[in-house]
Amino acid sequence: MGYGDEGFTIYDLQLWAEGLGITLWVFAISMIIGITIGIGIGLVRYYRLPFIGKLLMAISEFLKNSPVLVQLFLVYFGLSALLQIELSPNQAAIITLAANTAAFIAVIVISSIEAIDKKQLEAARSFAMDEVTILKRIIYPQSLAIAMPMLVGLLINQLQVTSLISVIGVYDLTRVGDIVNQRTFEPFIVWPVVGLTYFILAKIIGIIGSKLEKRFGSYRMMQEV
Amino acid sequence: MADFSSMMEYFPEFWEGFLMTAEVSIYSIMGSFILGTIVALMRVSGQFFMDRLARIYIDLFRNIPFIVLVFFGFYGLPEVGVYIDAFWTGVLVLSFAVGAYVAETLRAGIMNIDKGIIEAAQSFGFSKIKVYRKIILPIALTTSVRPLGSVFINLILTTSILSTITLNELTSVSKIIASETFRPFEVYVFIVFFYGVLTFILSGLITKWHVRLNRFASEGA
């Protein structure tokens, strides 16, 4: 099929592997940063630090109610123009994805902490446990069990969002698909292969996630008994 | 520093993009709702083959990035002799992708319905289609309408990806204006406002729909 194409070569496989590597790398880095900041925001909100909490929630609303693609443009073209700094596509991608993830993680953190029975906290305080110990021994293990399914869902979702970074010029899996497609004119092979790769990655996250859910879930059951 | 004063003179262009985004959203919301309803009914039909088919559809469309689906549709379909423009490719792919989420949301609503109600309707001799249309869907919607609302808000935000297949909607228009004015920061902040207007209107409509669907519900429910 196609015209002027030379079919697929072994080089395409190498490109695919490189794209996969960049997708995974950007995903991993931005998730680690996003989860860390998100937990921070969640805790700040939970302990009701004045002003900062409100500001962070406003930013988080902004991130959740605008397209990620526009956020990518805003960071890559907008922020660099406004602040007169140079950002590489990869840096812009990581900043945007991490900020986005942080906004969602913050909500997950707050809702899972609030799901914990308040009487346990009162009991712990009446035993004169300090706040750090309460956080470590009571809030953390239980909220993690509650948050786990939401976290897995978010990670699978954010994996798909990484495909957008191809638009600002990151050489990820989707960009590789675009390049190979333009050379071979075989969209009916290229895009299903790219799609299937994301599909398998999502499934792997799902499987790992449900294993973790079971582990933390059983821990939670033990606690309740 | 940021300077938004030059944005107002581009208002007509932004407005065109806004209308295009609104238009593609409206068609896709209808498309995904119809498709999602069919798939949700396949899921609860109790027929093994239908259920399996619906599951595969939902699994695929929820786990493959939208941009990959769009590229497949836009570059792939002409290869098999299907020539449709960017607008209808967008509507088609959005309907399929979001339909998967609609199906799962509706299914959850249907599973929540008291089985007795359905049995009662069947005992009145209603046809299967009538039971679905007059009883199951309206009741399922009373609980699913809010989650459906967030699915559709996501749909509106997803339309921005159609800028990659040359559709002149908000994001695409903004890219052009940003390159003309050299003020990318202001332009992109500005269009977030337009997306905000769209999602605000939609969530208003969803709230109205929710109230309407629940008009027979008792106070405590």
Side-chain angles (χ1 to χ4, degrees):
Chain A
M1 281 168 56
Y3 26 83
D5 58 316
E6 294 165 29
F8 293 99
T9 61
I10 196 77
Y11 180 62
D12 293 330
L13 195 66
Q14 192 190 330
L15 267 181
W16 173 85
E18 280 169 17
L20 180 63
I22 292 193
T23 289
L24 286 176
W25 186 77
V26 171
F27 177 67
I29 300 283
S30 56
M31 287 309 107
I32 290 168
I33 299 173
I35 290 171
T36 312
I37 295 176
I39 291 172
I41 298 173
L43 290 178
V44 165
R45 271 294 286 172
Y46 177 69
Y47 288 113
R48 295 180 203 289
L49 298 189
F51 181 69
I52 307 174
K54 280 236 169 75
L55 178 75
L56 291 173
M57 279 331 258
I59 295 173
S60 138
E61 279 304 304
F62 172 84
L63 289 170
K64 284 192 292 177
N65 284 305
S66 60
V68 182
L69 188 60
V70 174
Q71 294 168 21
L72 273 169
F73 290 147
L74 186 60
V75 172
Y76 183 53
F77 301 113
L79 268 191
S80 52
L82 184 76
L83 305 174
Q84 305 283 328
I85 46 167
E86 281 225 28
L87 278 176
S88 72
N90 289 37
Q91 287 167 334
I94 289 168
I95 292 171
T96 314
L97 286 175
N100 226 282
T101 308
F104 285 102
I105 290 285
V107 176
I108 293 177
V109 168
I110 294 164
S111 64
S112 9
I113 292 179
E114 269 163 12
I116 297 171
D117 190 358
K118 293 284 168 295
K119 284 181 194 133
Q120 292 185 16
L121 305 182
E122 280 167 30
R125 287 196 185 104
S126 69
F127 273 108
M129 251 190 206
D130 61 290
E131 286 298 320
V132 176
T133 316
I134 293 176
L135 188 65
K136 221 163 56 180
R137 295 278 169 80
I138 295 169
I139 296 179
Y140 166 72
Q142 292 188 71
S143 57
L144 190 63
I146 299 165
M148 216 49 209
M150 291 188 267
L151 181 66
V152 174
L154 180 69
L155 284 180
I156 292 175
N157 194 46
Q158 295 300 78
L159 172 73
Q160 293 175 49
V161 172
T162 59
S163 64
L164 297 181
I165 62 180
S166 61
V167 178
I168 58 165
V170 177
Y171 282 85
D172 73 327
L173 201 51
T174 305
R175 190 75 194 275
V176 165
D178 203 24
I179 293 166
V180 176
N181 182 43
Q182 279 181 25
R183 190 176 54 78
T184 60
F185 297 108
E186 296 278 13
F188 256 79
I189 300 172
V190 170
W191 293 118
V193 167
V194 172
L196 197 68
T197 313
Y198 281 106
F199 183 81
I200 292 168
L201 289 179
K203 287 286 147 192
I204 293 171
I205 296 175
I207 290 167
I208 297 171
S210 62
K211 284 226 169 93
L212 288 175
E213 261 171 54
K214 267 195 203 116
R215 179 190 282 182
F216 292 118
S218 60
Y219 178 70
R220 198 182 165 206
M221 298 281 271
M222 267 163 49
Q223 293 281 305
E224 276 170 2
V225 169
Chain B
M1 266 326 276
D3 173 19
F4 288 92
S5 55
S6 59
M7 289 304 110
M8 284 327 274
E9 64 182 274
Y10 285 92
F11 195 82
E13 280 89 343
F14 280 117
W15 183 245
E16 292 275 305
F18 176 81
L19 290 180
M20 182 62 94
T21 294
E23 208 179 331
V24 86
S25 302
I26 290 167
Y27 284 115
S28 310
I29 285 174
M30 293 194 294
S32 63
F33 185 69
I34 294 167
L35 202 70
T37 308
I38 295 169
V39 176
L41 293 181
M42 284 167 74
R43 283 283 275 121
V44 297
S45 65
Q47 282 165 304
F48 177 78
F49 180 70
M50 292 284 221
D51 181 32
R52 187 35 73 87
L53 202 66
R55 272 172 196 254
I56 292 172
Y57 160 75
I58 291 168
D59 209 24
L60 279 178
F61 280 85
R62 286 211 308 186
N63 287 314
I64 295 176
F66 181 74
I67 195 169
V68 175
L69 297 172
V70 164
F71 285 159
F72 179 73
F74 192 65
Y75 299 113
L77 288 183
E79 288 279 297
V80 289
V82 182
Y83 293 96
I84 42 176
D85 59 10
F87 182 86
W88 290 108
T89 306
V91 170
L92 189 75
V93 182
L94 262 178
S95 299
F96 268 94
V98 179
Y101 292 90
V102 172
E104 278 301 82
T105 311
L106 276 180
R107 191 185 71 96
I110 294 173
M111 302 304 276
N112 266 332
I113 300 176
D114 185 358
K115 290 287 167 292
I117 296 174
I118 298 168
E119 278 164 25
Q122 281 162 343
S123 71
F124 272 106
F126 283 2
S127 69
K128 219 170 182 182
I129 293 173
K130 204 170 181 188
V131 172
Y132 277 131
R133 205 166 62 85
K134 292 277 183 189
I135 303 195
I136 296 183
L137 276 183
I139 298 176
L141 276 174
T142 56
T143 49
S144 320
V145 65
R146 287 213 174 273
L148 261 186
S150 30
V151 168
F152 290 145
I153 282 172
N154 252 324
L155 182 148
I156 291 178
L157 302 182
T158 309
T159 58
S160 65
I161 297 172
L162 299 179
S163 63
T164 59
I165 57 164
T166 70
L167 185 71
N168 263 332
E169 41 65 79
L170 266 177
T171 305
S172 194
V173 165
S174 310
K175 266 199 297 202
I176 297 165
I177 298 174
S179 65
E180 275 178 19
T181 55
F182 299 106
R183 292 215 161 270
F185 182 79
E186 289 84 343
V187 171
Y188 293 121
V189 168
F190 199 65
I191 62 156
V192 164
F193 162 78
F194 280 97
Y195 281 105
V197 170
L198 272 178
T199 56
F200 182 75
I201 292 171
L202 181 65
S203 63
L205 288 174
I206 290 290
T207 306
K208 273 206 172 138
W209 198 22
H210 181 256
V211 170
R212 205 186 131 68
L213 284 166
N214 286 288
R215 66 194 181 284
F216 301 124
S218 55
E219 281 295 305

